[in-house]
Amino acid sequence: MRKKLLAAFAITVATTLSAAGCGGSASGSGGNSIKVVYWQHLDQNDHKQQTFLTTMKRSFEKAHPGKKIDIIPVTASENDYYTKIQLMMRSPSTAPDLVYEDTALINSDIASGYLKPIDAYVAKWADWDSFADAAKGAVSSPADGKTYGVPDDTDTRGIWYNQNLLKKAGIATPWQPKTWQDILDVARTIKKKLPGVTPMNLYTGQAGGEQSTMQGFEMLLYGTGAAGDSLYDAKTKKWIVGSQGFKDALTFVHDVYSENLGLSKSTALGPNAGTEVGTKLLPENKLAINIDGSWMANNWLTTGPRPWPGWSRTMASAAMPTQHGQAPGQVSMSGGWAWSIPAKAKNPDLAWQFTKAIKDKANSTNWNIIESTTAVRTDVAADPKYLDATPTNKFFTGLVKYTHFRPALPKYPQVSNAITKAMESVTTGQSSVSDAAKTYDQDLATAVGSDSTAKGTR
Amino acid sequence: MAGSSFLRGLPLVPSLVLLAVFLAGPILYCVYDAFTDAQLTGAAETHFVGLANFTRAFADPDFLNALWLTLVFVVGSAVVGQNTLGLSLAVLAEKATRPVRSLTNAVVIAAWVLPEIVAGYLMYAFFYQQGALNEVLGVLGLPRQNWLYTLPILAVCLANVWRGTAFSMMVYSAALAEVPRELVEAAEMDGAGVWHRLWHVTLPVIRRSIMTNLMLITLQTLSVFGLIYAMTRGGPGNKSQTLPVFMYQQAFQNSLIGYGTAIALVLLVVGALFSVVYLKLLKVEED
């Protein structure tokens, strides 16, 4: 009896231990392999980054026998991607060795201790001098001055419009709106003259995440009176509440959606608005004006998700005007991505080797061309091969002088969420502009602390 | 003596350890987190903040909105929808012929065995603007509705009724089979009609089953997340944002893990309150 009991006990203990053990000995990157995590867009036809990284992996493994690179896509909407990599980076058993980071988020992740400073690595890398200073600024922490990533690309934002549709509606092209009013007027004309065509797209709502905040709202907000200080005043280190500019930008959102000048509300507020615009509405000549990023053409290249050979004859670009056309007349926003090594990476040295390989001049040029993004290496930016690769590259590279960067602070992601919430409530008509602005002020105070906010004067 | 009872209890130890590690552990950790300012990103350290997360919640109009919508969702889709529809189906099935019963059972249970996310997607396809429901309405000459946009909470309630009725139906089918024939026949002899028999004989007899069923479907419905998230993501605005969706958005979109777990605890309390109400109403503890 006693023996049986003991045997039963031994078996249960053994199962317990093995069950409990499965959390501890997670397989993963060892000395000779690394895990590289990147963002796979929800648009499953877009495999440009996967193809690029796989090519890089092959050539790297060939050049370094015995080393192994694991390319891991995280398929998600933009905000979900952030959440997933943050969860991965929390634990040593799931942390990747190299991760694709949005520079809007990098400071927040640095403050969380998720990322490893790479100063010792870049100090010994001759190519580092070729990276533009603004791009280096985007990957270094204002708190400790250290560098936490290698910039991958940057971008600007402006207006894409369909020349044929504008002409058909009787609007002279090339078109360059001078004020917000100009944009609304043209959109109203198109609505009247071209039934079946969506006059314009302004990203909005919570599902769109940073796409709504940056392409949608900040392109408006930074064109109001306070310009670069509309969201956060860098001198006083205060977030701005109660400003007229914020309300004006929300009013624009409200006008677009209450007059049905934008996408149908359910599409605009869904997670696939970006894909719908880039791969459907624009190539099918069903959308006239689109406030969007410099990279839009990557949808239509032969390698893109929706090849559109004649796009450059149909689509043209214009700069986003300031609210009343006040100086400097134009406005743009810039962001960008970077490659970072998580603090809990098992094999940072090999991750760094791989980073150097994908960010050398030839591969950087190649990648900027594939993705139609703006170069962060000064030597690439001057390369005719890059400048002539896409007809709009020169135009959007020229917007750099009007561009603004988002406040690169740990609280920014929460502020961005509060903005999308305010946008969504005026888009649906659930709140009036002043109520939505009031709610934003409260959300902002909760997120950053009311002692870090100040009343906006403009 | 003491030694032998200790030995007899010994085989239980591993399972107790497993329960402690995998069940009690996460719960305690969740309770602890609810009283901190833990964040997914933006801060490396977490601090104990006492009741701050809870006071914040009850001052947050979005939270109160989510609490209200959760009550609407639970009462509308579980207590009224699934429960009464399940009971009606079970009563009707008792009277039905065998093939009819089998067919109905198969159809109803099919909705229930589907994974939540699949059901959510199907319901999305049914309700959305170009979806099946609007096609049917169009054919009938009735006005089309943008269900997920204008009445999202009704749409998710109906979806949850569709998905969850099978459970209640099965519980009640089993319970009805246990109602003694002679009781019903006696009532019939005394001249009680169908409604009287149901109200005065059947329902009192299956009281315990009603209570179990209500308790279970309430708890299931309180925690419904995938269905709503797939259909509306809590939107538009916050018009279908129940507590689980709100909790997810705070914890993972806003990165406020501490606040999110505090909301999870509130959800737990809401579940407990429902249970207390059921126990009081049905007075099951008396017999």
Side-chain angles (χ1 to χ4, degrees):
Chain A
M1 188 60 206
R2 205 167 176 144
K3 258 187 188 162
K4 265 189 192 162
L5 269 179
L6 275 177
F9 176 64
I11 289 168
T12 22
V13 166
T15 23
T16 313
L17 288 179
S18 59
C22 51
S25 64
S27 64
S29 35
N32 285 320
S33 71
I34 55 165
K35 293 189 281 188
V36 177
V37 166
Y38 73 98
W39 174 35
Q40 168 63 49
H41 305 224
L42 284 177
D43 179 0
Q44 287 294 322
N45 293 319
D46 187 351
H47 290 304
K48 292 192 295 294
Q49 193 163 18
Q50 185 188 30
T51 316
F52 174 75
L53 288 175
T54 313
T55 323
M56 291 289 93
K57 161 196 159 85
R58 288 217 190 92
S59 62
F60 187 85
E61 284 174 350
K62 209 185 232 172
H64 302 80
K67 308 287 184 204
K68 197 174 164 300
I69 314 286
D70 253 331
I71 308 286
I72 302 168
V74 171
T75 307
S77 69
E78 195 166 352
N79 269 1
D80 287 344
Y81 172 74
Y82 301 154
T83 306
K84 287 187 180 188
I85 58 173
Q86 281 153 0
L87 288 170
M88 287 173 108
M89 290 190 291
R90 277 175 94 84
S91 153
S93 62
T94 51
D97 298 278
L98 193 60
V99 67
Y100 200 50
E101 276 270 342
D102 190 336
T103 51
L105 206 72
I106 203 165
N107 273 289
S108 186
D109 283 352
I110 293 169
S112 310
Y114 290 153
L115 303 178
K116 184 182 171 68
I118 55 168
D119 298 79
Y121 291 126
V122 296
K124 285 184 244 153
W125 190 34
D127 289 28
W128 188 239
D129 293 336
S130 306
F131 284 82
D133 287 336
K136 284 182 186 170
V139 292
S140 64
S141 157
D144 61 12
K146 290 182 183 156
T147 300
Y148 287 86
V150 174
D152 188 58
D153 59 22
T154 181
D155 46 38
T156 52
R157 281 152 184 75
I159 299 173
W160 293 82
Y161 64 91
N162 186 313
Q163 307 182 62
N164 302 344
L165 290 178
L166 259 66
K167 271 181 214 150
K168 224 187 272 176
I171 288 138
T173 55
W175 176 60
Q176 174 56 62
K178 299 277 186 302
T179 60
W180 291 1
Q181 194 59 43
D182 286 353
I183 301 177
L184 290 175
D185 288 345
V186 169
R188 286 175 189 135
T189 310
I190 293 165
K191 185 177 163 61
K192 214 182 299 162
K193 296 211 173 146
L194 306 175
V197 169
T198 305
M200 65 180 289
N201 169 44
L202 177 78
Y203 290 115
T204 185
Q206 289 174 285
E210 197 53 25
Q211 165 182 280
S212 308
T213 315
M214 204 174 178
Q215 278 94 285
F217 197 76
E218 288 168 353
M219 285 292 279
L220 296 163
L221 185 65
Y222 280 80
T224 61
D229 296 330
S230 329
L231 195 56
Y232 176 78
D233 188 338
K235 282 187 288 296
T236 57
K237 300 201 158 120
K238 302 269 190 210
W239 294 91
I240 304 302
V241 292
S243 75
Q244 189 56 42
F246 195 91
K247 282 184 206 142
D248 290 349
L250 275 183
T251 306
F252 189 93
V253 178
H254 173 262
D255 289 351
V256 168
Y257 287 96
S258 65
E259 295 178 35
N260 295 318
L261 300 173
L263 307 182
S264 81
K265 289 177 192 172
S266 43
T267 310
L269 298 173
N272 292 319
T275 311
E276 184 87 3
V277 166
T279 63
K280 241 179 113 181
L281 295 174
L282 286 175
E284 289 170 8
N285 295 307
K286 285 186 185 148
L287 172 62
I289 302 167
N290 179 32
I291 303 175
D292 216 320
S294 50
W295 60 84
M296 281 312 281
N298 79 22
N299 285 303
W300 313 316
L301 306 179
T302 44
T303 48
R306 171 65 163 86
W308 181 16
W311 74 266
S312 59
R313 285 191 299 278
T314 308
M315 296 304 297
S317 44
M320 180 73 186
T322 51
Q323 184 178 7
H324 305 294
Q326 78 275 22
Q330 306 185 347
V331 62
S332 184
M333 296 293 304
S334 288
W337 291 75
W339 286 105
S340 293
I341 301 177
K344 290 179 177 157
K346 294 222 180 57
N347 203 348
D349 289 343
L350 189 58
W352 175 248
Q353 296 294 325
F354 187 63
T355 311
K356 279 201 294 187
I358 55 178
K359 292 318 297 171
D360 68 9
K361 181 171 182 240
N363 290 326
S364 292
T365 312
N366 200 1
W367 173 235
N368 284 136
I369 293 171
I370 293 174
E371 193 65 354
S372 294
T373 46
T374 308
V376 285
R377 284 182 68 124
T378 48
D379 47 1
V380 176
D383 190 337
K385 195 173 147 208
Y386 155 77
L387 284 173
D388 300 333
T390 311
T392 43
N393 268 5
K394 268 183 202 152
F395 173 80
F396 281 104
T397 309
L399 289 182
V400 167
K401 56 179 174 293
Y402 302 107
T403 210
H404 295 281
F405 291 89
R406 292 161 290 182
L409 291 158
K411 292 292 183 188
Y412 178 77
Q414 284 184 50
V415 177
S416 169
N417 266 314
I419 291 178
T420 59
K421 195 177 127 193
M423 290 181 92
E424 180 149 341
S425 64
V426 298
T427 304
T428 58
Q430 212 182 355
S431 305
S432 67
V433 164
S434 60
D435 284 348
K438 227 178 277 161
T439 310
Y440 167 78
D441 290 349
Q442 284 158 6
D443 288 347
L444 185 72
T446 323
V448 303
S450 43
D451 47 347
S452 302
T453 61
K455 178 96 175 60
T457 48
R458 275 175 289 182
Chain B
M1 199 57 205
S4 88
S5 75
F6 169 74
L7 264 184
R8 242 186 287 170
L10 206 55
L12 283 177
V13 172
S15 46
L16 285 178
V17 171
L18 277 179
L19 278 178
V21 171
F22 292 107
L23 200 72
I27 293 175
L28 289 177
Y29 188 60
C30 169
V31 171
Y32 165 77
D33 254 359
F35 294 93
T36 68
D37 61 355
Q39 290 191 20
L40 194 54
T41 183
E45 292 154 17
T46 57
H47 311 93
F48 189 77
V49 293
L51 289 170
N53 285 327
F54 295 94
T55 48
R56 174 180 176 172
F58 283 97
D60 184 345
D62 280 340
F63 169 82
L64 298 174
N65 169 68
L67 191 62
W68 166 244
L69 287 180
T70 309
L71 294 179
V72 171
F73 185 61
V74 168
V75 173
S77 76
V79 178
V80 176
Q82 292 181 6
N83 188 47
T84 45
L85 195 61
L87 180 61
S88 323
L89 280 174
V91 171
L92 289 176
E94 255 207 330
K95 309 263 185 293
T97 55
R98 208 182 167 83
V100 173
R101 194 178 349 173
S102 313
L103 191 71
T104 326
N105 279 359
V107 170
V108 176
I109 292 172
W112 187 63
V113 295
L114 285 177
E116 191 178 16
I117 193 71
V118 178
Y121 186 75
L122 284 176
M123 284 287 105
Y124 172 77
F126 182 69
F127 280 112
Y128 92 123
Q129 227 173 344
Q130 288 84 35
L133 180 57
N134 275 337
E135 291 298 324
V136 174
L137 288 179
V139 168
L140 295 177
L142 294 168
R144 289 159 177 258
Q145 297 290 325
N146 194 351
W147 297 95
L148 296 175
Y149 189 78
T150 43
L151 276 174
I153 192 70
L154 179 66
V156 295
C157 276
L158 291 175
N160 193 46
V161 171
W162 174 78
R163 180 173 143 73
T165 298
F167 182 81
S168 299
M169 189 189 82
M170 287 188 288
V171 169
Y172 287 131
S173 290
L176 290 176
E178 299 296 310
V179 178
R181 286 290 327 147
E182 56 272 24
L183 261 182
V184 182
E185 275 159 18
E188 212 173 343
M189 295 292 286
D190 293 341
V194 177
W195 291 112
H196 274 103
R197 290 206 301 275
L198 184 70
W199 189 252
H200 293 291
V201 181
T202 314
L203 288 186
V205 174
I206 62 167
R207 201 167 68 219
R208 279 168 176 281
S209 301
I210 298 178
M211 141 88 190
T212 313
N213 181 54
L214 278 176
M215 197 95 100
L216 288 174
I217 61 174
T218 299
L219 296 181
Q220 276 166 11
T221 303
L222 270 180
S223 62
V224 164
F225 170 78
L227 190 73
I228 299 179
Y229 199 72
M231 288 177 68
T232 66
R233 295 174 81 96
N238 56 11
K239 286 204 272 183
S240 60
Q241 196 175 48
T242 58
L243 280 176
V245 179
F246 181 65
M247 173 173 83
Y248 171 83
Q249 267 160 358
Q250 291 302 327
F252 296 113
Q253 302 285 311
N254 247 352
S255 307
L256 302 171
I257 299 283
Y259 189 35
T261 31
I263 297 161
L265 284 191
V266 175
L267 193 59
L268 205 68
V269 173
V270 173
L273 286 177
F274 267 102
S275 310
V276 170
V277 169
Y278 294 149
L279 283 171
K280 286 265 177 264
L281 277 181
L282 293 155
K283 301 199 183 76
V284 169
E285 69 276 22
E286 274 175 21
D287 45 0

